[in-house]
Amino acid sequence: MPPHSTGKHLGLLAETEPYAALWLRWDEGGTAEAVTLPDCPVPPLDTDADACCLYSGHPERHTWDVPAYSEEISCTS
């Protein structure tokens, strides 16, 4: 996820099934829970780009629209 300082935070734990993944979700208070969320369904504008690595309804931009994600980070690394 793009960096942010407030609200819920999420980190990808594992791809669990087609079109969904296991995410760790926590808040500033430190309470954490594992949740399965559907993958972001928005296709990239460039047909050669990888799909967005985030979950459906995520805030901010898609990973294929953020240079640091598309050039240096794989969805599964």
Side-chain angles (χ1 to χ4, degrees):
M1 293 245 357
H4 58 279
S5 59
T6 61
K8 296 278 185 187
H9 305 280
L10 287 106
L12 178 64
L13 291 176
E15 293 289 330
T16 55
E17 56 191 77
Y19 311 111
L22 182 63
W23 292 80
L24 183 63
R25 179 169 55 197
W26 70 96
D27 58 26
E28 288 90 21
T31 303
E33 64 181 328
V35 293
T36 298
L37 299 173
D39 292 343
C40 177
V42 179
L45 298 175
D46 178 355
T47 57
D48 291 332
D50 289 332
C52 181
C53 296
L54 300 175
Y55 53 90
S56 182
H58 63 84
E60 305 292 331
R61 301 184 316 186
H62 301 283
T63 55
W64 42 258
D65 196 31
V66 178
Y69 280 109
S70 59
E71 294 171 10
E72 301 171 15
I73 300 172
S74 149
C75 292
T76 57
S77 66

